[in-house]
């Protein structure tokens, strides 16, 4: 009996170490963000102003919604490269649909993008093709579709200002833009879905060890199909919100967005190999990326080439810091 | 629980054939299990036991023949369907999610929920704790599963399988990583299941377990059905002869373990490890192994035996500690340095730390010895073939060819491939962590004999085994670990099962320390 | 008896066909595209056209070879496109010393970025996709800082490298083919190749087997960097200009597609060099076909998506059940 | 990262090829600065009273400039340099941001400029639509906006003050004229399109197609493929083009870079200068040199030197004077006739 007591006692020491490391894993990016923000607000007068922070929140919100979907996908051990194209497609569809009313403007992109995600998920789950390549193809397909309905990008559909749809992008509540509220709500829902529902447990299980999850009776295929559908839905929704905000279905959006989203999720502490991740971390990751961008603009006189070097350098420093904070017990 | 008449067949297969590329794993096999019966399934490594179970539970699909559940033909597409039909399984390799918490693993798919439909974590944790305590696992259920030792993980898998409302519980080598104490708990669980009218299929290589808990037995050999009958009427040797396909007399002439007596252990120690220390895991462990000596490492699950072996082999970063081989210091924390110095480690978890599943048998055997088997960075194929050939013959590795993927071999043969990998290195010190776990009696005897031979050739061997008999008969000296520290050492005539049990048991601590000198070398 | 044998024979045949498709699907795809073009594309069957296709595919192939190595270790290298840009900038900056010195600096550039990638991945423990993503951003910027603007190349040696040939086979094609052979040899016959595959298949096992995991990983990313740098060098010679803005844009995706379509799994532990060559050819032929038939960008992208899925579907590892 | 820095440091000892034609001048050349095309009285104007802002002195003001693409092609380099030079000359504080061809970034760039305290904005938009959030924010602070080189689809003198730039449709039309002149109005031509979804691509295509239809129905467009405004893509597309359509008469490239790529492709396919007529848009030095060498038949200029005109407009406007809403600049053209003499004006 006392043997197990000793074990438990020893266990708690291990737990404390593990908890600390988990804490760092979860909050490493947050620490980096706070440090960065602190330094920036001392260095630039115009950083910690209401306007600037609002801009930051607004521009972050669309990427954040995309990153939210990406988090689910990455926790299952997958990846979704199609989100940038789907984002652009969602915007164009929303703008086109807005002439038929707010409902169409919202539901059309969700339906089409959800379908794309569903096909992604089916291909990945049922035929066991690599997510990387399936979603790469979907990225081409969604971009092709978007060009197809805009006369190769020549037509930009404008959002009908009469519909309530525009308020989703431009409305304000308590001085904060609607997309920011929507993003916040989505992240709350996302966090609950991932941490507190059976679906969330299955997402972790599939990412942690797919074969074991199948043997334990988790619905692996269904979970995968759901996460890819969810990711595309959220990307489409982000596109639609963005279209409402910009009041038009801009056709040149979303290039490289998938990489930004992946970077944000990973910086936020989610393991690319799956099985471990946090919704809140992804939000912090997005804010970190956008803050870096904002700081470069605060400097205000960098050549475009230097801007890239600086943001690449920042990225390296951030991921080293994050990895270092999150360093886990080595497998070896 | 669906209590059906005792004689009713709950689950059966008829004329089952299953082929894999290059092998016929099962050939026209019949098998059935009745409610309230514990049915043993035995056979050598690669006989097809696990494959049969996987067909029964929807992991594999049969090529020919059918599966019948309560007399109805069924075809489970996924393990989930089998579970819904009331068939619950513990697979041979622990199949849980390492990064998820213990409680989440236990409850995956049937989490208690609040009225809002959200998971009720508080209830889940309390219940998980209660369930696991009943199985003798006392841990913080919020910890990630991977922090548990393999044995504790096995108990979690067991608890999970039994907790489901099942009419059949299938256990594929559940005891291979359990301590005697836990095996005892397990048997209690099995008897309770039987009394509830649940059918149990039980796979094990340990004879005494079969006789302790099983009612009837089916023997497979090379994918064929050989024998089915009540266990009471079949004695051990007959069973073994069925499994091996040899006649009784031949088997009778061999003993239980293949170890010979003690070895000559003179001379300077070939390995000296001092003061190995690692936060939370190892506390100043020191060891010496002499050439030609087999040093046993005893202890309970989680006592730090695997960590000690890994530390010596450079696979763990240490806070403190020195390792010397034949007097020459070895850099710690580097597997490369350890291997170069002549230390080889056969890891405990062969699935994830041992084999490279996608590479062939040949490549796996030659993996560590590659630098020796190549010139100017180019692989000397013919030398490699020679080495591979030698060891495949010597260890009797059963594979369709040296080019078969190791991932497709049966567990026992995978273990042999790993042994071959290390023997090909000509090591000075061999660290064997559970070398005979999950190995059939034939292979087990071969491995034990091999350990003997190696020691006689002057190798230093460190043997970790949860099989007390094996540890006692195989070792010249046993160091007992508890809680990450060496607490006792048994020498010569003290190396007996009784002494070992007492040293391991916590109550014997004082006794042990007065009778045996403390094992920590100054 | 005969009945049973027949029943067995059929699925066996199908299994064999499936395995054949898995192994040779890419090659079949290339042949199908060739036949399609011969039938439906005007002026397709000409030496000049084949030369064009071969020359266009050469840089992609060279990059894909390095990518295949990285993927073999269960990694990925997103920085290749930017390394090409860096290489073209370096080339332009050092061409004054002559083409050989320029080539040397280009290779050094590739080594440096490869080392940076490898260090982040092997020592710091950053996941490959993130480490190389950061370097992808930074390296492109670096290339532009060094050479802010497109610059023409006039060095005759370099120009002849870009457009010259030996008995009708362009230098570029020869170099790419030679590199493919070298990489195939390295993967199959060298210790390094075996170690690379073992690490890709099971890193913990490789570590415990005493393989020099870090050294191998770093070497792999250095190889990938150098091959990308060489591809940049070759592209510059072909273009007769250094254009760090657009050179190598989206090259990482083309290279990954070629590798994966060629049957190398992204999960590591396996490298198919022949398949990678065929994969690169397949994508090249597909693009050329779509261009020759003057499809609009939207249809081009849709068609590419479909063909990629079909190719990968044919080559996929069947789940064993 | 340290290694990379090291790499960057050792660029001190570089030695590039000596440039035969002298180094490219990119700053705003004196005699080649922009000229307004139609300063006619009939065009609409805007002044600060109608716009609704406050007068201010340009000298003490902060001007924000948002560039759309990397300063890596001659057009963007010359554009940014011209604005910076003019700001320097006038002693105005200039903040710059670069959207690196990402539209979302450009929106946030401009917002950052506003937040950073820019009193006036000069924007080189990446796209014509989608400026709603920026315009609203600027309107709230009454910040005058001048857009250069591309237009914003919004109400002039309400949402922004004026647009200074070329007429891309017109450029397409003039390119068509050159093509007709070079080919004699008969044959088959190919278009190397710019990046898909870009207004410039759309308008330069439309102008070209309309004019051909109108003036030379004998000249058929048989091939339209995107070269994404890059030399390399232009080259590989043209390589495929000349294999599959060996009888092609002319190639219209929507920027110089793709045109030069086409020249490369023709060269390596063994064609002679003049075998295939090439007309391009932009007016970079390399392209004009192409005319001199005989490979290119016409280059329609798109003048990037917006600095003087933009600041002059802002200056007049902030002083309260009327400025034009649409200031279309006069683009010249380079042909066989003037290429040799005017090459100095090219950027
Ligand atoms: N997925 C697979 N692919 C190919 N061959 C396989 C596969 N699984 C099992 N086999 C082969 O089928 C045969 C039976 O293996 P199985 O795992 O059923 O043996 P076992 O009786 O459980 O042995 P052990 O006691 O070692 O666990 C072996 O020859 C093995 O190599
Ligand atoms: N039943 C248990 N309860 C609590 N913690 C455990 C239990 N079993 C193992 N652990 C933990 O797992 C860790 C790893 O144990 P490890 O596997 O190295 O022990 P071991 O002596 O090699 O046992 P074995 O090889 O029999 O599994 C230990 O640090 C211990 O804290
Ligand atoms: Mg088995
Ligand atoms: Mg152990």
């Amino acid at each position: 009996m006392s043997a197990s007591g000793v074990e438990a006692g020893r266990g708690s020491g291990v737990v404390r170490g593990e908890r600390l490391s988990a804490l760092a894993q979860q909050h490493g990016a947050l620490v980096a963000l706070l440090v960065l923000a602190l330094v920036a607000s001392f260095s630039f007068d115009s950083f910690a102003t209401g306007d600037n922070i609002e801009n930051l929140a607004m521009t972050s919100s669309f990427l954040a919604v995309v990153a939210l979907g990406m988090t689910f996908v990455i926790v299952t051990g997958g990846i979704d490269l199609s989100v940038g194209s789907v984002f652009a497609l969602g915007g164009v569809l929303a703008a086109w649909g807005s002439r038929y009313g707010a409902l169409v403007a919202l539901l059309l992109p969700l339906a089409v993008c959800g379908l794309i995600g569903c096909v992604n998920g089916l291909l990945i789950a049922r035929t066991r093709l690599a997510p990387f390549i399936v979603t790469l193809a979907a990225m081409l397909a969604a971009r092709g579709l978007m060009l197809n309905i805009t006369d190769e990008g020549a037509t930009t559909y404008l959002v009908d200002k009469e519909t309530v749809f525009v308020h989703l992008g431009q409305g304000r509540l308590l001085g904060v833009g609607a997309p920011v509220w929507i993003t916040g709500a989505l992240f709350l829902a996302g966090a609950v879905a991932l941490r507190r529902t059976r679906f969330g447990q299955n997402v972790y299980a599939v990412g942690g060890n797919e074969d074991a999850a199948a043997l334990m009776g988790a619905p692996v295929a269904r979970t995968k199909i759901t996460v890819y559908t969810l990711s595309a839905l959220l990307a489409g929704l982000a596109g639609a919100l963005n279209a409402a905000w910009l009041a038009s279905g801009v056709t040149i959006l979303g290039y490289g967005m998938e990489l930004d989203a992946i970077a944000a999720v990973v910086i936020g502490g989610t393991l690319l190999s799956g099985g471990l991740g946090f919704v809140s971390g992804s939000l912090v990751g997005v804010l970190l990326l956008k803050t870096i961008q904002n700081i470069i603009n605060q400097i205000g006189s960098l050549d475009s080439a230097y801007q890239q070097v600086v943001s690449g350098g920042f990225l390296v420093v951030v991921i080293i810091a994050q990895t270092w904070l999150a360093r886990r017990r080595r497998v070896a | 629980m669906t209590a059906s008449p005792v004689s009713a067949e709950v689950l059966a297969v008829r004329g089952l054939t299953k082929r894999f590329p290059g092998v016929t794993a099962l050939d026209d096999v019949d098998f059935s299990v009745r409610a309230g019966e514990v049915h043993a399934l035995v056979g050598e490594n690669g006989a097809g036991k696990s494959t049969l179970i996987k067909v029964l539970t929807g992991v594999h699909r049969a090529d020919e023949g059918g599966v019948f559940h309560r007399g109805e033909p069924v075809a489970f597409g996924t393990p989930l369907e089998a579970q819904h039909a009331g068939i619950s399984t513990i697979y041979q390799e622990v199949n849980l999610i390492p990064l998820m918490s213990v409680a989440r693993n236990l409850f995956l798919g049937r989490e208690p929920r609040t009225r809002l439909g959200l998971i009720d974590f508080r209830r889940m944790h309390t219940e998980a704790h209660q369930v696991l305590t009943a199985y003798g696992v006392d841990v913080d259920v919020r910890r990630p599963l991977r922090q548990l030792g393999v044995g504790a993980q096995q108990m979690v898998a067991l608890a999970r399988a039994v907790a489901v409302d099942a009419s059949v519980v299938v256990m594929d080598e559940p005891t291979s990583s359990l301590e005697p104490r836990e095996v005892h708990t397990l048997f209690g669980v099995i008897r309770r299941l039987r009394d509830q009218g649940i059918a149990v299929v039980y796979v094990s290589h340990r004879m005494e377990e079969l006789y302790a808990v099983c009612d009837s037995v089916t023997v497979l050999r090379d994918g064929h059905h050989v024998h089915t009958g009540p266990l009471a009427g079949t004695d051990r040797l007959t069973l073994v002869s069925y499994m091996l396909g040899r006649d009784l007399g031949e088997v009778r002439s061999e003993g239980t373990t293949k170890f010979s007596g003690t070895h000559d252990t003179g001379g300077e120690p070939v390995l000296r490890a001092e003061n190995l220390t690692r936060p939370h895991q190892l506390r100043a462990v020191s060891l010496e192994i002499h050439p030609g000596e087999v040093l046993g490492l005893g202890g309970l699950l989680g006592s730090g035996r695997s960590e000690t072996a890994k530390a010596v082999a450079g696979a763990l970063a240490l806070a403190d500690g020195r390792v010397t081989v034949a007097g020459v210091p070895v850099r710690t924390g580097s597997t490369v340095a350890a291997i170069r110095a002549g230390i080889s480690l056969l890891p405990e978890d062969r699935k994830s730390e041992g084999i490279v599943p996608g590479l062939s048998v040949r490549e796996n055997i030659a993996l560590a010895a590659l630098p020796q088997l190549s010139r100017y960075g180019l692989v000397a194929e013919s030398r490699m073939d020679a080495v591979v050939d030698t060891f495949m013959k010597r260890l009797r590795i059963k594979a369709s060819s040296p080019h078969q993927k190791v991932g497709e071999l049966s567990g026992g043969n995978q273990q042999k491939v790993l042994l071959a990998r290390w023997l090909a290195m000509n090591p000075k010190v061999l660290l064997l962590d559970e070398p005979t776990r999950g190995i059939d009696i034939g292979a087990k005897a071969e491995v034990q004999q091999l350990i003997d031979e190696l020691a006689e050739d002057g190798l230093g061997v460190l043997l970790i085994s949860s099989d007390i008999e094996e540890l006692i008969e195989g070792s010249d000296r046993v160091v007992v670990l508890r809680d990450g520290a060496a607490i006792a050492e048994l020498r010569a005539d003290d190396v007996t099962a009784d002494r070992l049990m007492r040293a391991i048991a916590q109550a014997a601590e004082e006794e042990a320390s007065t009778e045996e000198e403390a094992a920590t070398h100054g | 008896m005969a009945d049973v044998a027949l029943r067995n024979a059929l699925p066996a045949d199908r299994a064999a066909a499936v395995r054949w498709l898995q192994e040779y699907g890419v090659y079949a795809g290339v042949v199908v595209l060739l036949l399609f073009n011969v039938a439906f594309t005007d002026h397709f069957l000409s030496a000049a056209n084949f030369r064009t296709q071969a020359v266009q595919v050469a840089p992609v192939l060279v990059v894909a070879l390095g990518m295949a190595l990285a993927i073999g270790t269960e990694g990925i290298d997103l920085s290749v496109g930017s390394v090409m840009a860096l290489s073209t900038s370096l080339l332009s900056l050092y061409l004054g010393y002559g083409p050989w010195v320029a080539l040397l600096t280009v290779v050094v550039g590739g080594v440096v970025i490869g080392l940076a990638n490898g260090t982040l991945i092997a020592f710091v423990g950053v996941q490959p996709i993130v480490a190389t993503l950061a370097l992808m951003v930074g390296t492109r910027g670096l290339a532009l800082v060094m050479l802010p603007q497109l610059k023409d190349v006039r060095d005759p040696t370099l120009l002849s490298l870009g457009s010259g040939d030996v008995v009708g086979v362009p230098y570029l094609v020869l170099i790419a083919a030679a590199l493919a052979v070298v990489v195939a040899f390295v993967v199959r016959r060298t210790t390094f190749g075996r170690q690379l595959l073992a690490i890709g298949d099971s890193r913990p096992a490789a570590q415990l087997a005493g393989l020099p995991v870090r050294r191998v990983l770093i070497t792999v990313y250095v190889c990938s960097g150098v091959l990308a740098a060489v591809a940049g060098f070759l592209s510059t010679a072909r273009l007769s200009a250094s254009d760090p803005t657009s050179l190598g844009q989206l090259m990482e995706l083309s290279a990954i597609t070629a590798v994966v379509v060629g049957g190398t799994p992204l999960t590591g532990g396996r490298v198919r060099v022949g398949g990678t060559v065929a994969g690169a050819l397949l994508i090249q032929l597909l693009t050329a076909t779509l261009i020759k038939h003057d499809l609009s960008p939207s249809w081009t992208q849709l068609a590419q998506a479909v063909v990629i899925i079909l190719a990968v579907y044919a080559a996929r590892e069947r789940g064993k059940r | 990262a340290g290694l990379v820095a090291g790499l960057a440091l050792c660029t001190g000892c570089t030695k590039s090829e000596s440039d035969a034609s002298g180094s490219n001048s990119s700053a705003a050349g004196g005699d080649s600065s922009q000229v307004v095309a139609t300063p006619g009285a009939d065009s609409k104007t805007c002044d600060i009273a109608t716009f609704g802002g406050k007068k201010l002195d340009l000298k003490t003001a902060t001007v924000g400039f948002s560039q759309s693409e990397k300063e890596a092609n001659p057009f963007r380099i010359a554009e940014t340099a011209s604005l910076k030079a003019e700001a320097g000359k006038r002693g105005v504080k200039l903040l710059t941001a670069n959207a690196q061809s990402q539209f979302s970034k450009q929106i946030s760039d401009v917002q950052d400029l506003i937040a950073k305290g820019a009193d006036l904005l000069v924007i080189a938009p990446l796209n014509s639509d989608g400026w709603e959030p920026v315009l609203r924010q600027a309107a709230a602070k009454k910040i005058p906006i001048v857009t250069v080189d591309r237009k914003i689809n919004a109400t002039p003198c309400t949402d922004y003050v004026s647009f200074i730039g070329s007429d891309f449709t017109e450029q397409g039309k003039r390119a068509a004229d050159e093509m007709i002149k070079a080919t004699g109005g008969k044959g088959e031509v190919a278009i190397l399109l710019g990046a898909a979804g870009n207004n410039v691509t759309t308008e330069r295509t439309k102008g070209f197609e309309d004019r051909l239809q109108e003036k030379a129905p004998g000249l058929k467009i048989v091939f339209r493929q995107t070269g994404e405004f890059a030399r390399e893509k232009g080259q590989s597309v043209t390589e495929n083009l000349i294999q599959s359509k060996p009888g092609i008469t002319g190639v219209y490239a929507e920027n110089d870079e793709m045109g030069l790529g086409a020249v490369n492709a023709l060269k390596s396919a063994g064609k002679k200068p003049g075998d295939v007529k090439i007309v391009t848009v932009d007016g970079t030095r390399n392209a004009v040199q192409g005319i001199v060498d005989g490979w290119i038949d016409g280059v329609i200029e798109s003048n990037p030197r917006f600095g003087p005109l933009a600041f002059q407009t802002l200056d007049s406007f902030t002083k309260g004077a009327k400025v034009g809403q649409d200031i279309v600049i006069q683009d010249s053209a380079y042909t066989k006739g003037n290429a040799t003499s005017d090459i100095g004006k090219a950027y």
Side-chain angles (χ1 to χ4, degrees), chain D residues 34 58-59 61-65 79-96 120-122 146 148 164 305-319 323 327:
Chain D
Q34 293 169 337
L58 188 57
K59 283 223 161 37
T62 306
V63 177
F65 171 54
E79 185 175 43
T80 304
S82 155
L83 276 147
K84 280 189 176 162
E86 187 68 19
K89 217 188 304 175
R90 290 172 181 260
V92 178
K93 187 176 171 209
L94 186 72
L95 300 172
T96 58
L120 300 155
L121 286 171
V122 177
V146 168
V148 294
I164 309 174
R305 299 181 183 95
F306 288 98
L309 205 50
F311 277 93
Q312 189 197 320
T313 309
L314 285 176
D315 195 21
S316 325
F317 181 77
T318 47
K319 281 188 181 129
V323 297
I327 307 177

Side-chain angles (χ1 to χ4, degrees), chain A residues 2 4 6-8 10-11 13-15 18-19 192 195-198 201-202 204-205 208-209 212-218 274-276 328-329 331-332, chain B residues 59 79-80 83 91 95-97 99-100 104-105 108-111 113 118-119 121 138 140 142-143 146-147 160 278 280-281 301-302 310 315 353 483 506:
Chain A
S2 60
S4 69
V6 175
E7 266 177 6
R10 200 176 125 211
V14 178
V15 173
E18 221 23 78
R19 288 255 170 81
V192 169
R195 304 301 291 186
R196 300 289 306 268
T197 65
R198 284 199 183 163
Q201 299 302 302
N202 291 333
Y204 281 113
N209 182 348
L215 293 179
M216 287 165 85
L276 195 77
R328 319 173 54 81
R329 216 170 48 166
V331 188
Chain B
V59 178
L80 186 59
Q83 271 180 31
Y91 294 94
N95 271 297
L96 295 168
I97 319 288
L99 285 173
M100 289 175 84
R104 282 160 188 249
N105 268 291
L108 184 73
R110 46 188 190 86
E111 296 88 349
R113 289 190 280 197
L118 300 180
I119 297 173
F121 275 114
D138 183 19
D140 180 353
R142 287 166 300 182
R143 284 166 62 179
R146 69 190 177 93
Q147 290 175 16
R160 188 186 149 77
R278 188 177 153 87
H280 308 308
Q281 288 173 337
L301 197 68
K310 282 190 170 183
E353 298 189 327
D483 207 8
Q506 138 73 21

Side-chain angles (χ1 to χ4, degrees), chain D residues 8 32 46 89 99 101 119 137 156 159 198 216 234 243 248 253 258 289 343:
Chain D
S32 56
C46 180
K89 217 188 304 175
S101 301
D119 306 304
Q137 213 165 347
D159 293 329
N198 192 308
Q243 300 297 339
I248 199 84
M258 296 190 292
Q289 184 64 41
I343 193 163

Side-chain angles (χ1 to χ4, degrees), chain B residues 50 92 172-173:
Chain B
S50 298
Q92 183 170 8
D172 194 353
E173 298 196 31

Side-chain angles (χ1 to χ4, degrees), chain B residues 20-21 23-26 43-52 54 60 92-93 172-173 203 205 220 350 398 404 407-413 438-440, chain C residues 320:
Chain B
F20 289 114
V23 243
T24 302
L26 293 173
E44 287 195 85
N45 289 136
K49 305 178 295 289
S50 298
T51 307
L52 175 59
K54 286 184 177 168
H60 291 319
Q92 183 170 8
E93 316 285 346
D172 194 353
E173 298 196 31
V203 180
H205 288 294
L220 295 181
R350 73 166 164 262
K398 208 184 284 174
Q404 191 180 7
E408 294 169 358
L409 296 188
S410 75
N413 279 305
I439 286 194
D440 67 52
Chain C
K320 293 183 193 87

Side-chain angles (χ1 to χ4, degrees), chain B residues 73-141:
Chain B
V74 286
F76 301 124
T78 62
L80 186 59
E81 286 174 29
Q83 271 180 31
H84 285 324
I87 301 167
S88 176
T89 315
I90 306 160
Y91 294 94
Q92 183 170 8
E93 316 285 346
V94 180
N95 271 297
L96 295 168
I97 319 288
L99 285 173
M100 289 175 84
S101 75
V102 175
R104 282 160 188 249
N105 268 291
L106 197 56
F107 280 95
L108 184 73
R110 46 188 190 86
E111 296 88 349
R113 289 190 280 197
T114 61
R115 259 171 305 157
L116 289 172
L118 300 180
I119 297 173
D120 187 344
F121 275 114
R122 193 174 313 160
R123 216 171 94 207
M124 194 166 111
H125 287 146
T126 342
E127 285 181 19
H129 189 76
Q130 280 166 6
V131 170
L132 288 179
T133 316
Y135 285 90
V137 180
D138 183 19
V139 291
D140 180 353
V141 294

